[in-house]
Amino acid sequence: MQPTFSIIAPVFNERENLPALRERVSEVMNQTGEPWELILVDDGSKDGSTDIIRQMGKEDEHVRPVIFARNFGHQLAVTAGLDYSRGKAVVIIDSDLQDPPEVILDLIAKWREGYEVVYAVRAEREGETWFKMFTASLFYRIIYRITDVDIPLDTGDFRLLDRQVVNVMNSMRERHRFLRGMSAWVGFRQVGVAYKRRARMAGETKYPFKKMLRLALNAITGFSYFPLQVATYMGFISAGVSILAIPVVIIMRLMGDQAFLGQASTLISVLFLGGVQLISLGILGEYIGRIYDEVKGRPLYIVHDAPTNDSQPNQQE
């Protein structure tokens, strides 16, 4: 039977959380009275999560395992889930249970009202450090201001997408992905649902600062030219300072001011301009590197095991 709802949960070393995830999702989805599926995408786990997912797939007809050949990252794991989903509405949820499955019913209620994208807004964040909350809040506000896309503040990937939205997102095969930005970019009718984000049930976070920084770079370079504009502004500022400084230096030299004799001022100017140039080259390098990745045309991910009962033409394009 074709499912009405698809629940996508990317998994990376979450063996302690998987039994509770399946139980709670089952309790929630059975209340809908509609057919549903739980797509568990194993992103190269090393702690035994892969075997648990395979066993769940054998025991429970609702569970559909998608096993990656190696670790490809959270965003690509969610992408694979979207590729393999069959439901009229698709819910993305983390497997660590920080996003309570019970909120799915609220998302479905909004979908039934006619909204095509229903995103969960983090009204409270339980069990997170002040540094994590501060950097997350800062990131969302920066990305909101420097892009032309209205990415909702304080939202993650926890959301419901209508099948029409999923089909559009499946056609977008960029490699450096920021899915919450992509779902905002496509448009359609969107609405938020506030919820309290819980502390992780077990295990350690799979999004340390390094991965958060990489996600932030993908978001900024994927939806904004602002860094390139900053490099241009810095060039104009340094050039303007130099133009203004030339007559000042000439006048001071003619007046015999000793502060402008020697190499100190020259070295400072050279170091300043060199720094501006290196920063500009670094920004250009980030964009060129992403162009290079796109041109290579490699698959977004490689699947080791996956459901074979339906065709998925986009899954490795």
Side-chain angles (χ1 to χ4, degrees), residues 113-160:
E113 291 178 13
Y115 292 97
E116 287 100 352
V117 177
V118 187
Y119 49 86
V121 182
R122 298 164 179 171
E124 296 182 49
R125 301 167 69 105
E126 188 178 277
E128 294 187 354
T129 64
W130 70 268
F131 179 76
K132 178 72 176 291
M133 290 189 290
F134 171 76
T135 53
S137 176
L138 180 64
F139 162 71
Y140 285 118
R141 280 148 184 80
I142 290 175
I143 196 70
Y144 181 82
R145 290 186 176 277
I146 68 176
T147 66
D148 295 328
V149 180
D150 292 332
I151 301 175
L153 297 175
D154 302 318
T155 61
D157 291 321
F158 186 24
R159 63 192 57 221
L160 179 148

mmCIF file of all heavy atoms in Angstrom, residues 113-160:
data_model
loop_
_atom_site.group_PDB
_atom_site.id
_atom_site.type_symbol
_atom_site.label_atom_id
_atom_site.label_comp_id
_atom_site.label_asym_id
_atom_site.label_seq_id
_atom_site.Cartn_x
_atom_site.Cartn_y
_atom_site.Cartn_z
ATOM 1 N N GLU A 113 -4.378 21.570 6.663
ATOM 2 C CA GLU A 113 -5.001 22.883 6.452
ATOM 3 C C GLU A 113 -4.629 23.481 5.103
ATOM 4 O O GLU A 113 -5.193 24.493 4.691
ATOM 5 C CB GLU A 113 -4.579 23.847 7.565
ATOM 6 C CG GLU A 113 -5.161 23.514 8.929
ATOM 7 C CD GLU A 113 -4.668 24.463 10.016
ATOM 8 O OE1 GLU A 113 -4.068 25.517 9.652
ATOM 9 O OE2 GLU A 113 -4.858 24.173 11.207
ATOM 10 N N GLY A 114 -3.654 22.873 4.423
ATOM 11 C CA GLY A 114 -3.296 23.346 3.088
ATOM 12 C C GLY A 114 -1.881 23.867 2.942
ATOM 13 O O GLY A 114 -1.483 24.290 1.845
ATOM 14 N N TYR A 115 -1.087 23.824 4.011
ATOM 15 C CA TYR A 115 0.300 24.285 3.930
ATOM 16 C C TYR A 115 1.185 23.191 3.334
ATOM 17 O O TYR A 115 1.052 22.012 3.687
ATOM 18 C CB TYR A 115 0.814 24.681 5.309
ATOM 19 C CG TYR A 115 0.142 25.911 5.868
ATOM 20 C CD1 TYR A 115 -0.920 25.796 6.764
ATOM 21 C CD2 TYR A 115 0.548 27.182 5.491
ATOM 22 C CE1 TYR A 115 -1.550 26.914 7.279
ATOM 23 C CE2 TYR A 115 -0.072 28.313 5.999
ATOM 24 C CZ TYR A 115 -1.122 28.175 6.887
ATOM 25 O OH TYR A 115 -1.749 29.289 7.384
ATOM 26 N N GLU A 116 2.103 23.602 2.429
ATOM 27 C CA GLU A 116 2.984 22.616 1.780
ATOM 28 C C GLU A 116 4.304 22.422 2.513
ATOM 29 O O GLU A 116 4.956 21.397 2.349
ATOM 30 C CB GLU A 116 3.266 23.021 0.330
ATOM 31 C CG GLU A 116 2.105 22.836 -0.613
ATOM 32 C CD GLU A 116 1.348 24.111 -0.905
ATOM 33 O OE1 GLU A 116 1.622 25.131 -0.252
ATOM 34 O OE2 GLU A 116 0.478 24.091 -1.790
ATOM 35 N N VAL A 117 4.736 23.414 3.279
ATOM 36 C CA VAL A 117 5.944 23.303 4.103
ATOM 37 C C VAL A 117 5.575 23.725 5.520
ATOM 38 O O VAL A 117 5.127 24.851 5.739
ATOM 39 C CB VAL A 117 7.101 24.179 3.576
ATOM 40 C CG1 VAL A 117 8.305 24.085 4.500
ATOM 41 C CG2 VAL A 117 7.484 23.782 2.157
ATOM 42 N N VAL A 118 5.766 22.807 6.463
ATOM 43 C CA VAL A 118 5.495 23.107 7.873
ATOM 44 C C VAL A 118 6.784 22.855 8.636
ATOM 45 O O VAL A 118 7.221 21.711 8.788
ATOM 46 C CB VAL A 118 4.365 22.233 8.437
ATOM 47 C CG1 VAL A 118 4.003 22.708 9.846
ATOM 48 C CG2 VAL A 118 3.145 22.253 7.527
ATOM 49 N N TYR A 119 7.435 23.926 9.096
ATOM 50 C CA TYR A 119 8.714 23.794 9.782
ATOM 51 C C TYR A 119 8.528 23.979 11.291
ATOM 52 O O TYR A 119 7.662 24.721 11.749
ATOM 53 C CB TYR A 119 9.728 24.815 9.253
ATOM 54 C CG TYR A 119 9.228 26.234 9.181
ATOM 55 C CD1 TYR A 119 9.300 27.082 10.291
ATOM 56 C CD2 TYR A 119 8.684 26.745 8.002
ATOM 57 C CE1 TYR A 119 8.841 28.384 10.224
ATOM 58 C CE2 TYR A 119 8.216 28.047 7.925
ATOM 59 C CZ TYR A 119 8.294 28.861 9.043
ATOM 60 O OH TYR A 119 7.836 30.149 8.977
ATOM 61 N N ALA A 120 9.337 23.249 12.043
ATOM 62 C CA ALA A 120 9.265 23.305 13.506
ATOM 63 C C ALA A 120 10.224 24.376 14.024
ATOM 64 O O ALA A 120 11.412 24.362 13.685
ATOM 65 C CB ALA A 120 9.612 21.949 14.098
ATOM 66 N N VAL A 121 9.712 25.285 14.822
ATOM 67 C CA VAL A 121 10.493 26.400 15.358
ATOM 68 C C VAL A 121 10.890 26.083 16.794
ATOM 69 O O VAL A 121 10.034 25.748 17.630
ATOM 70 C CB VAL A 121 9.685 27.712 15.325
ATOM 71 C CG1 VAL A 121 10.543 28.869 15.845
ATOM 72 C CG2 VAL A 121 9.197 27.999 13.914
ATOM 73 N N ARG A 122 12.177 26.201 17.093
ATOM 74 C CA ARG A 122 12.686 25.862 18.421
ATOM 75 C C ARG A 122 12.409 27.007 19.397
ATOM 76 O O ARG A 122 13.170 27.963 19.484
ATOM 77 C CB ARG A 122 14.184 25.580 18.344
ATOM 78 C CG ARG A 122 14.514 24.386 17.455
ATOM 79 C CD ARG A 122 15.973 24.349 17.089
ATOM 80 N NE ARG A 122 16.309 23.187 16.260
ATOM 81 C CZ ARG A 122 17.478 23.010 15.670
ATOM 82 N NH1 ARG A 122 18.433 23.925 15.787
ATOM 83 N NH2 ARG A 122 17.688 21.939 14.933
ATOM 84 N N ALA A 123 11.332 26.891 20.129
ATOM 85 C CA ALA A 123 11.000 27.921 21.125
ATOM 86 C C ALA A 123 11.916 27.811 22.325
ATOM 87 O O ALA A 123 12.263 28.821 22.962
ATOM 88 C CB ALA A 123 9.546 27.785 21.550
ATOM 89 N N GLU A 124 12.312 26.580 22.688
ATOM 90 C CA GLU A 124 13.250 26.329 23.783
ATOM 91 C C GLU A 124 14.226 25.252 23.336
ATOM 92 O O GLU A 124 13.895 24.377 22.532
ATOM 93 C CB GLU A 124 12.515 25.855 25.041
ATOM 94 C CG GLU A 124 11.555 26.870 25.639
ATOM 95 C CD GLU A 124 10.899 26.349 26.902
ATOM 96 O OE1 GLU A 124 11.636 25.847 27.787
ATOM 97 O OE2 GLU A 124 9.661 26.424 26.993
ATOM 98 N N ARG A 125 15.458 25.329 23.878
ATOM 99 C CA ARG A 125 16.493 24.354 23.529
ATOM 100 C C ARG A 125 17.052 23.776 24.819
ATOM 101 O O ARG A 125 17.829 24.420 25.514
ATOM 102 C CB ARG A 125 17.598 25.016 22.695
ATOM 103 C CG ARG A 125 17.097 25.638 21.406
ATOM 104 C CD ARG A 125 18.153 26.533 20.777
ATOM 105 N NE ARG A 125 19.257 25.772 20.269
ATOM 106 C CZ ARG A 125 19.463 25.528 18.966
ATOM 107 N NH1 ARG A 125 18.598 25.987 18.076
ATOM 108 N NH2 ARG A 125 20.496 24.833 18.555
ATOM 109 N N GLU A 126 16.629 22.577 25.133
ATOM 110 C CA GLU A 126 16.989 21.940 26.394
ATOM 111 C C GLU A 126 18.314 21.194 26.264
ATOM 112 O O GLU A 126 18.578 20.525 25.271
ATOM 113 C CB GLU A 126 15.884 20.949 26.791
ATOM 114 C CG GLU A 126 16.019 20.338 28.158
ATOM 115 C CD GLU A 126 14.854 19.413 28.456
ATOM 116 O OE1 GLU A 126 13.802 19.926 28.885
ATOM 117 O OE2 GLU A 126 14.983 18.202 28.238
ATOM 118 N N GLY A 127 19.184 21.334 27.288
ATOM 119 C CA GLY A 127 20.402 20.540 27.351
ATOM 120 C C GLY A 127 21.521 20.985 26.434
ATOM 121 O O GLY A 127 22.431 20.205 26.145
ATOM 122 N N GLU A 128 21.481 22.225 25.959
ATOM 123 C CA GLU A 128 22.531 22.717 25.075
ATOM 124 C C GLU A 128 23.330 23.807 25.779
ATOM 125 O O GLU A 128 22.797 24.577 26.571
ATOM 126 C CB GLU A 128 21.949 23.249 23.754
ATOM 127 C CG GLU A 128 21.311 22.152 22.912
ATOM 128 C CD GLU A 128 20.898 22.648 21.542
ATOM 129 O OE1 GLU A 128 20.996 23.875 21.291
ATOM 130 O OE2 GLU A 128 20.477 21.829 20.701
ATOM 131 N N THR A 129 24.614 23.878 25.471
ATOM 132 C CA THR A 129 25.495 24.852 26.106
ATOM 133 C C THR A 129 25.172 26.261 25.613
ATOM 134 O O THR A 129 24.605 26.443 24.528
ATOM 135 C CB THR A 129 26.964 24.528 25.796
ATOM 136 O OG1 THR A 129 27.204 24.663 24.388
ATOM 137 C CG2 THR A 129 27.294 23.096 26.237
ATOM 138 N N TRP A 130 25.583 27.242 26.398
ATOM 139 C CA TRP A 130 25.345 28.632 26.001
ATOM 140 C C TRP A 130 26.084 28.948 24.703
ATOM 141 O O TRP A 130 25.587 29.723 23.868
ATOM 142 C CB TRP A 130 25.794 29.582 27.111
ATOM 143 C CG TRP A 130 27.298 29.639 27.301
ATOM 144 C CD1 TRP A 130 28.047 28.899 28.147
ATOM 145 C CD2 TRP A 130 28.217 30.480 26.589
ATOM 146 N NE1 TRP A 130 29.374 29.214 28.013
ATOM 147 C CE2 TRP A 130 29.518 30.183 27.077
ATOM 148 C CE3 TRP A 130 28.082 31.456 25.596
ATOM 149 C CZ2 TRP A 130 30.659 30.818 26.595
ATOM 150 C CZ3 TRP A 130 29.217 32.088 25.101
ATOM 151 C CH2 TRP A 130 30.482 31.775 25.614
ATOM 152 N N PHE A 131 27.256 28.334 24.509
ATOM 153 C CA PHE A 131 28.031 28.592 23.292
ATOM 154 C C PHE A 131 27.282 28.081 22.069
ATOM 155 O O PHE A 131 27.199 28.766 21.043
ATOM 156 C CB PHE A 131 29.407 27.931 23.392
ATOM 157 C CG PHE A 131 30.274 28.123 22.163
ATOM 158 C CD1 PHE A 131 30.902 29.334 21.936
ATOM 159 C CD2 PHE A 131 30.431 27.096 21.240
ATOM 160 C CE1 PHE A 131 31.684 29.525 20.809
ATOM 161 C CE2 PHE A 131 31.216 27.270 20.111
ATOM 162 C CZ PHE A 131 31.851 28.493 19.896
ATOM 163 N N LYS A 132 26.715 26.868 22.174
ATOM 164 C CA LYS A 132 25.960 26.292 21.050
ATOM 165 C C LYS A 132 24.740 27.150 20.737
ATOM 166 O O LYS A 132 24.440 27.437 19.560
ATOM 167 C CB LYS A 132 25.540 24.868 21.406
ATOM 168 C CG LYS A 132 24.700 24.170 20.347
ATOM 169 C CD LYS A 132 25.525 23.811 19.148
ATOM 170 C CE LYS A 132 24.692 23.020 18.128
ATOM 171 N NZ LYS A 132 24.352 21.674 18.614
ATOM 172 N N MET A 133 24.028 27.587 21.764
ATOM 173 C CA MET A 133 22.834 28.401 21.539
ATOM 174 C C MET A 133 23.195 29.762 20.962
ATOM 175 O O MET A 133 22.510 30.270 20.075
ATOM 176 C CB MET A 133 22.050 28.548 22.842
ATOM 177 C CG MET A 133 21.378 27.250 23.304
ATOM 178 S SD MET A 133 20.236 27.478 24.689
ATOM 179 C CE MET A 133 21.403 27.838 26.018
ATOM 180 N N PHE A 134 24.308 30.347 21.460
ATOM 181 C CA PHE A 134 24.716 31.661 20.967
ATOM 182 C C PHE A 134 25.135 31.599 19.501
ATOM 183 O O PHE A 134 24.703 32.431 18.685
ATOM 184 C CB PHE A 134 25.872 32.201 21.821
ATOM 185 C CG PHE A 134 26.496 33.454 21.266
ATOM 186 C CD1 PHE A 134 25.846 34.677 21.389
ATOM 187 C CD2 PHE A 134 27.725 33.411 20.614
ATOM 188 C CE1 PHE A 134 26.421 35.840 20.872
ATOM 189 C CE2 PHE A 134 28.290 34.555 20.095
ATOM 190 C CZ PHE A 134 27.638 35.777 20.218
ATOM 191 N N THR A 135 25.978 30.614 19.154
ATOM 192 C CA THR A 135 26.457 30.513 17.770
ATOM 193 C C THR A 135 25.315 30.171 16.821
ATOM 194 O O THR A 135 25.262 30.679 15.696
ATOM 195 C CB THR A 135 27.571 29.464 17.657
ATOM 196 O OG1 THR A 135 27.126 28.215 18.218
ATOM 197 C CG2 THR A 135 28.818 29.918 18.390
ATOM 198 N N ALA A 136 24.379 29.313 17.262
ATOM 199 C CA ALA A 136 23.241 28.967 16.411
ATOM 200 C C ALA A 136 22.362 30.188 16.160
ATOM 201 O O ALA A 136 21.945 30.459 15.028
ATOM 202 C CB ALA A 136 22.427 27.846 17.050
ATOM 203 N N SER A 137 22.093 30.939 17.231
ATOM 204 C CA SER A 137 21.275 32.135 17.097
ATOM 205 C C SER A 137 21.956 33.164 16.188
ATOM 206 O O SER A 137 21.317 33.776 15.322
ATOM 207 C CB SER A 137 21.010 32.744 18.476
ATOM 208 O OG SER A 137 20.301 33.950 18.369
ATOM 209 N N LEU A 138 23.271 33.335 16.370
ATOM 210 C CA LEU A 138 24.022 34.287 15.558
ATOM 211 C C LEU A 138 23.993 33.872 14.088
ATOM 212 O O LEU A 138 23.793 34.704 13.194
ATOM 213 C CB LEU A 138 25.468 34.368 16.058
ATOM 214 C CG LEU A 138 26.397 35.324 15.309
ATOM 215 C CD1 LEU A 138 25.921 36.766 15.479
ATOM 216 C CD2 LEU A 138 27.834 35.184 15.826
ATOM 217 N N PHE A 139 24.192 32.572 13.821
ATOM 218 C CA PHE A 139 24.213 32.087 12.449
ATOM 219 C C PHE A 139 22.892 32.366 11.739
ATOM 220 O O PHE A 139 22.868 32.881 10.616
ATOM 221 C CB PHE A 139 24.507 30.585 12.428
ATOM 222 C CG PHE A 139 24.141 29.921 11.132
ATOM 223 C CD1 PHE A 139 24.877 30.153 9.985
ATOM 224 C CD2 PHE A 139 23.042 29.078 11.053
ATOM 225 C CE1 PHE A 139 24.529 29.555 8.786
ATOM 226 C CE2 PHE A 139 22.694 28.475 9.864
ATOM 227 C CZ PHE A 139 23.443 28.712 8.732
ATOM 228 N N TYR A 140 21.777 32.012 12.378
ATOM 229 C CA TYR A 140 20.484 32.189 11.734
ATOM 230 C C TYR A 140 20.211 33.653 11.431
ATOM 231 O O TYR A 140 19.631 33.974 10.379
ATOM 232 C CB TYR A 140 19.366 31.631 12.618
ATOM 233 C CG TYR A 140 19.306 30.129 12.610
ATOM 234 C CD1 TYR A 140 19.499 29.405 13.784
ATOM 235 C CD2 TYR A 140 19.070 29.429 11.437
ATOM 236 C CE1 TYR A 140 19.443 28.017 13.784
ATOM 237 C CE2 TYR A 140 19.022 28.042 11.431
ATOM 238 C CZ TYR A 140 19.209 27.342 12.606
ATOM 239 O OH TYR A 140 19.170 25.976 12.601
ATOM 240 N N ARG A 141 20.639 34.542 12.295
ATOM 241 C CA ARG A 141 20.382 35.960 12.068
ATOM 242 C C ARG A 141 21.302 36.542 10.992
ATOM 243 O O ARG A 141 20.897 37.417 10.237
ATOM 244 C CB ARG A 141 20.513 36.718 13.399
ATOM 245 C CG ARG A 141 19.251 36.565 14.236
ATOM 246 C CD ARG A 141 19.470 36.553 15.713
ATOM 247 N NE ARG A 141 18.212 36.311 16.421
ATOM 248 C CZ ARG A 141 17.672 35.093 16.573
ATOM 249 N NH1 ARG A 141 18.296 34.037 16.097
ATOM 250 N NH2 ARG A 141 16.520 34.939 17.203
ATOM 251 N N ILE A 142 22.515 36.019 10.905
ATOM 252 C CA ILE A 142 23.410 36.465 9.835
ATOM 253 C C ILE A 142 22.894 35.992 8.479
ATOM 254 O O ILE A 142 22.802 36.777 7.527
ATOM 255 C CB ILE A 142 24.844 35.944 10.081
ATOM 256 C CG1 ILE A 142 25.466 36.671 11.279
ATOM 257 C CG2 ILE A 142 25.713 36.143 8.839
ATOM 258 C CD1 ILE A 142 26.835 36.139 11.667
ATOM 259 N N ILE A 143 22.561 34.705 8.382
ATOM 260 C CA ILE A 143 22.097 34.161 7.108
ATOM 261 C C ILE A 143 20.793 34.813 6.687
ATOM 262 O O ILE A 143 20.514 35.005 5.497
ATOM 263 C CB ILE A 143 21.952 32.620 7.185
ATOM 264 C CG1 ILE A 143 21.853 32.015 5.784
ATOM 265 C CG2 ILE A 143 20.765 32.213 7.994
ATOM 266 C CD1 ILE A 143 23.098 32.054 4.986
ATOM 267 N N TYR A 144 19.972 35.187 7.659
ATOM 268 C CA TYR A 144 18.707 35.850 7.349
ATOM 269 C C TYR A 144 18.941 37.216 6.711
ATOM 270 O O TYR A 144 18.220 37.626 5.799
ATOM 271 C CB TYR A 144 17.881 35.996 8.633
ATOM 272 C CG TYR A 144 16.526 36.645 8.427
ATOM 273 C CD1 TYR A 144 15.438 35.900 7.969
ATOM 274 C CD2 TYR A 144 16.332 38.004 8.689
ATOM 275 C CE1 TYR A 144 14.195 36.486 7.779
ATOM 276 C CE2 TYR A 144 15.096 38.597 8.500
ATOM 277 C CZ TYR A 144 14.032 37.830 8.046
ATOM 278 O OH TYR A 144 12.805 38.421 7.853
ATOM 279 N N ARG A 145 19.994 37.912 7.157
ATOM 280 C CA ARG A 145 20.241 39.263 6.690
ATOM 281 C C ARG A 145 21.012 39.322 5.376
ATOM 282 O O ARG A 145 20.847 40.271 4.600
ATOM 283 C CB ARG A 145 21.001 40.067 7.754
ATOM 284 C CG ARG A 145 20.148 40.394 8.976
ATOM 285 C CD ARG A 145 20.874 41.307 9.937
ATOM 286 N NE ARG A 145 20.030 41.690 11.058
ATOM 287 C CZ ARG A 145 19.152 42.680 11.043
ATOM 288 N NH1 ARG A 145 19.005 43.397 9.954
ATOM 289 N NH2 ARG A 145 18.430 42.956 12.110
ATOM 290 N N ILE A 146 21.868 38.344 5.109
ATOM 291 C CA ILE A 146 22.739 38.451 3.936
ATOM 292 C C ILE A 146 22.213 37.686 2.728
ATOM 293 O O ILE A 146 22.834 37.723 1.662
ATOM 294 C CB ILE A 146 24.170 37.971 4.244
ATOM 295 C CG1 ILE A 146 24.200 36.456 4.497
ATOM 296 C CG2 ILE A 146 24.752 38.743 5.412
ATOM 297 C CD1 ILE A 146 25.605 35.918 4.713
ATOM 298 N N THR A 147 21.083 36.997 2.861
ATOM 299 C CA THR A 147 20.521 36.273 1.723
ATOM 300 C C THR A 147 19.188 36.886 1.325
ATOM 301 O O THR A 147 18.551 37.605 2.089
ATOM 302 C CB THR A 147 20.298 34.782 2.039
ATOM 303 O OG1 THR A 147 19.296 34.665 3.049
ATOM 304 C CG2 THR A 147 21.593 34.126 2.507
ATOM 305 N N ASP A 148 18.776 36.572 0.093
ATOM 306 C CA ASP A 148 17.481 37.032 -0.389
ATOM 307 C C ASP A 148 16.374 36.032 -0.076
ATOM 308 O O ASP A 148 15.217 36.265 -0.412
ATOM 309 C CB ASP A 148 17.549 37.243 -1.913
ATOM 310 C CG ASP A 148 18.512 38.363 -2.289
ATOM 311 O OD1 ASP A 148 18.630 39.318 -1.494
ATOM 312 O OD2 ASP A 148 19.139 38.276 -3.359
ATOM 313 N N VAL A 149 16.741 34.908 0.537
ATOM 314 C CA VAL A 149 15.768 33.877 0.884
ATOM 315 C C VAL A 149 15.343 34.061 2.337
ATOM 316 O O VAL A 149 16.181 34.242 3.224
ATOM 317 C CB VAL A 149 16.381 32.470 0.690
ATOM 318 C CG1 VAL A 149 15.363 31.395 1.049
ATOM 319 C CG2 VAL A 149 16.859 32.295 -0.744
ATOM 320 N N ASP A 150 14.052 34.022 2.580
ATOM 321 C CA ASP A 150 13.540 34.191 3.946
ATOM 322 C C ASP A 150 13.610 32.855 4.689
ATOM 323 O O ASP A 150 12.619 32.114 4.781
ATOM 324 C CB ASP A 150 12.097 34.709 3.910
ATOM 325 C CG ASP A 150 12.016 36.138 3.392
ATOM 326 O OD1 ASP A 150 12.997 36.874 3.576
ATOM 327 O OD2 ASP A 150 10.982 36.491 2.794
ATOM 328 N N ILE A 151 14.798 32.535 5.204
ATOM 329 C CA ILE A 151 14.985 31.319 5.976
ATOM 330 C C ILE A 151 14.500 31.596 7.400
ATOM 331 O O ILE A 151 15.020 32.481 8.072
ATOM 332 C CB ILE A 151 16.454 30.882 5.974
ATOM 333 C CG1 ILE A 151 16.923 30.635 4.531
ATOM 334 C CG2 ILE A 151 16.662 29.626 6.822
ATOM 335 C CD1 ILE A 151 18.392 30.323 4.409
ATOM 336 N N PRO A 152 13.500 30.870 7.884
ATOM 337 C CA PRO A 152 12.944 31.153 9.213
ATOM 338 C C PRO A 152 14.011 31.036 10.305
ATOM 339 O O PRO A 152 14.891 30.172 10.258
ATOM 340 C CB PRO A 152 11.862 30.079 9.384
ATOM 341 C CG PRO A 152 11.518 29.660 7.995
ATOM 342 C CD PRO A 152 12.790 29.769 7.214
ATOM 343 N N LEU A 153 13.919 31.911 11.296
ATOM 344 C CA LEU A 153 14.860 31.897 12.403
ATOM 345 C C LEU A 153 14.602 30.703 13.319
ATOM 346 O O LEU A 153 13.463 30.268 13.496
ATOM 347 C CB LEU A 153 14.739 33.197 13.208
ATOM 348 C CG LEU A 153 15.075 34.502 12.470
ATOM 349 C CD1 LEU A 153 14.794 35.692 13.374
ATOM 350 C CD2 LEU A 153 16.520 34.516 12.011
ATOM 351 N N ASP A 154 15.701 30.200 13.910
ATOM 352 C CA ASP A 154 15.629 29.154 14.944
ATOM 353 C C ASP A 154 14.905 27.894 14.479
ATOM 354 O O ASP A 154 14.109 27.297 15.210
ATOM 355 C CB ASP A 154 14.958 29.712 16.210
ATOM 356 C CG ASP A 154 15.686 30.925 16.762
ATOM 357 O OD1 ASP A 154 16.919 30.893 16.784
ATOM 358 O OD2 ASP A 154 15.020 31.901 17.136
ATOM 359 N N THR A 155 15.172 27.481 13.261
ATOM 360 C CA THR A 155 14.610 26.242 12.736
ATOM 361 C C THR A 155 15.740 25.312 12.312
ATOM 362 O O THR A 155 16.811 25.774 11.896
ATOM 363 C CB THR A 155 13.702 26.491 11.527
ATOM 364 O OG1 THR A 155 14.470 27.091 10.469
ATOM 365 C CG2 THR A 155 12.551 27.410 11.886
ATOM 366 N N GLY A 156 15.488 24.019 12.407
ATOM 367 C CA GLY A 156 16.435 23.029 11.910
ATOM 368 C C GLY A 156 15.842 22.314 10.714
ATOM 369 O O GLY A 156 15.025 22.874 9.978
ATOM 370 N N ASP A 157 16.213 21.058 10.532
ATOM 371 C CA ASP A 157 15.673 20.276 9.420
ATOM 372 C C ASP A 157 14.359 19.594 9.786
ATOM 373 O O ASP A 157 13.743 18.971 8.922
ATOM 374 C CB ASP A 157 16.697 19.222 8.977
ATOM 375 C CG ASP A 157 17.907 19.844 8.306
ATOM 376 O OD1 ASP A 157 17.717 20.808 7.539
ATOM 377 O OD2 ASP A 157 19.039 19.385 8.561
ATOM 378 N N PHE A 158 13.951 19.674 11.032
ATOM 379 C CA PHE A 158 12.698 19.056 11.476
ATOM 380 C C PHE A 158 11.537 19.802 10.830
ATOM 381 O O PHE A 158 11.215 20.928 11.203
ATOM 382 C CB PHE A 158 12.614 19.114 12.997
ATOM 383 C CG PHE A 158 11.438 18.385 13.589
ATOM 384 C CD1 PHE A 158 10.809 17.351 12.926
ATOM 385 C CD2 PHE A 158 10.967 18.733 14.860
ATOM 386 C CE1 PHE A 158 9.731 16.678 13.480
ATOM 387 C CE2 PHE A 158 9.902 18.063 15.429
ATOM 388 C CZ PHE A 158 9.282 17.038 14.734
ATOM 389 N N ARG A 159 10.885 19.143 9.856
ATOM 390 C CA ARG A 159 9.811 19.788 9.111
ATOM 391 C C ARG A 159 9.022 18.766 8.311
ATOM 392 O O ARG A 159 9.460 17.629 8.122
ATOM 393 C CB ARG A 159 10.366 20.860 8.179
ATOM 394 C CG ARG A 159 11.305 20.344 7.098
ATOM 395 C CD ARG A 159 12.034 21.485 6.403
ATOM 396 N NE ARG A 159 12.769 22.277 7.356
ATOM 397 C CZ ARG A 159 12.826 23.613 7.326
ATOM 398 N NH1 ARG A 159 12.194 24.283 6.394
ATOM 399 N NH2 ARG A 159 13.514 24.277 8.231
ATOM 400 N N LEU A 160 7.863 19.193 7.828
ATOM 401 C CA LEU A 160 7.042 18.386 6.934
ATOM 402 C C LEU A 160 7.026 19.044 5.565
ATOM 403 O O LEU A 160 6.849 20.262 5.451
ATOM 404 C CB LEU A 160 5.628 18.244 7.478
ATOM 405 C CG LEU A 160 4.635 17.433 6.643
ATOM 406 C CD1 LEU A 160 3.633 16.719 7.545
ATOM 407 C CD2 LEU A 160 3.857 18.319 5.643
#
